[in-house]
Amino acid sequence: MSSNTYSEFIRSRFSPRAFLPDPVPAEVIKQVLIDAQSAPSNSNTQPWIVHLFGGDEVTKLSEALLKQFDSKGPTPDFTTDYGDGVHKKRSQELGAKMYGMLGVERDDKEGRIEFIRENLRFFGAPNAAMLFIPALGDRMRAAFDQGTFVENFLLSLRAHGYDGIPQGMPSLVAPAVREHLGLAMTTRWSPASPSARPTRMTTCTRSDQAVHRFLRWSLSTASTTSISTSLARS
């Protein structure tokens, strides 16, 4: 592949906010996970734990997230502050474009809350995956390593004709995810991301898309099992 072709390919990836109901075939998800597993990690620790959902399991998970959000509000594992510099500005610009596309005014509190709830429905994607990091030190190296895994995952999805979106919003109700999966409190949720074929393209520019997806995402698969994609590699 030429450098120009590769550049065009990686810039063709985008973050859909609506998906078709057709599930991603299991064989595609398997290959995507194999591709993602080739990501580098500190001392080959491979600190990514993936839980995959499909079919009714996605609905059950979404219901659990919505229940906590509606009753207790946000309870994230990590801070959600972007500071006061350029990072906050980028986030605000993206929000303005997104809400503008949806016709949600700045003072429309109910409309904005409903958009959060749509996040917790995974934008209608037929499959979803949760990614967690183990308690390794201050978790920063694990979070960095997981970022490389996520990027590989999303690009492999794209190469197979599907798309996913790295979501931060579901991480705001991380305790509900752990309870739903029966995970220990020491296991921290990093990102979440639905995936399938999108129903429409987003009109946001590349610089305003969810590039700052540092710790959260959601992906997709036809499987309903939970797995750890740990392989021994030299």
Side-chain angles (χ1 to χ4, degrees), residues 83-204:
D84 296 318
V86 65
H87 306 97
K88 182 176 181 178
K89 181 174 181 291
R90 290 170 181 165
S91 176
Q92 291 173 334
E93 289 174 347
L94 173 63
K97 287 185 178 182
M98 191 61 60
Y99 287 121
M101 291 169 58
L102 297 171
V104 178
E105 300 295 335
R106 185 177 181 82
D107 58 353
D108 185 357
K109 184 177 180 180
E110 291 186 3
R112 288 172 177 256
I113 290 177
E114 183 55 32
F115 183 68
I116 293 177
R117 299 181 89 253
E118 187 61 21
N119 269 268
L120 301 181
R121 299 186 190 103
F122 305 110
F123 297 112
N127 307 107
M130 302 295 158
L131 214 66
F132 298 83
I133 51 178
L136 301 179
D138 61 4
R139 303 180 195 266
M140 291 305 295
R141 284 179 297 176
F144 175 84
D145 294 341
Q146 194 173 98
T148 65
F149 180 94
V150 171
E151 185 71 5
N152 275 11
F153 183 91
L154 293 171
L155 290 177
S156 181
L157 268 179
R158 185 65 170 158
H160 286 85
Y162 296 89
D163 284 288
I165 173 174
Q167 285 182 270
M169 202 69 74
S171 66
L172 298 181
V173 288
V177 180
R178 278 193 294 272
E179 181 179 353
H180 187 77
L181 296 175
L183 299 176
M185 279 296 296
T186 54
T187 303
R188 296 305 172 113
W189 188 11
S190 44
S193 156
S195 62
R197 286 198 169 90
T199 61
R200 61 175 180 270
M201 293 281 287
T202 176
T203 60
C204 294

